[in-house]
Amino acid sequence: MKTEVNNLTGYELVNGMFTAEEAREVLMSLISSKLRFHSKKNLHSYERSGVADPKSEERINELQQLRKQILAELEKANEEGLMAELQANVQLKFREPVSK
């Protein structure tokens, strides 16, 4: 689903009920993709300037902690036979570039 309000467009990426194992697959795929993105960004920064990207390094650490937390919660849900309701929305807004 797509919604638009004042130059802000929202996209519904995930919305539904999943087994804990299905939810794990969906969420780990999203997190892994973000980890790859920041790892590449960090590597490119290091290759260009000899300095790692501090924002990417911080985000990598946050995502690794998030992954551990989600896996623990999903393991518990799986043991209890619970379903997981996932809702993931993305908001897209276009802005002028930040001058350097």
Side-chain angles (χ1 to χ4, degrees), residues 29 39 47 53 84 94:
S29 178
S39 293
E47 288 174 341
D53 183 319
F94 295 101

Side-chain angles (χ1 to χ4, degrees), residues 36-78:
R36 279 191 306 276
F37 170 82
H38 284 289
S39 293
K40 286 179 184 178
K41 188 175 179 184
N42 199 24
L43 178 61
H44 290 178
S45 175
Y46 188 78
E47 288 174 341
R48 280 191 312 270
S49 65
V51 178
D53 183 319
K55 289 182 182 178
S56 284
E57 286 189 327
E58 180 180 342
R59 190 62 181 137
I60 288 168
N61 289 330
E62 291 170 354
L63 288 164
Q64 289 171 337
Q65 291 303 313
L66 180 62
R67 179 175 51 194
K68 288 178 189 177
Q69 181 182 351
I70 289 172
L71 286 171
E73 291 176 13
L74 288 170
E75 183 177 329
K76 183 177 179 185
N78 191 44

Side-chain angles (χ1 to χ4, degrees), residues 75-91:
E75 183 177 329
K76 183 177 179 185
N78 191 44
E79 290 170 0
E80 296 175 10
L82 299 174
M83 297 288 289
E85 182 176 354
L86 297 181
Q87 296 178 352
N89 299 302
V90 171
Q91 294 181 342

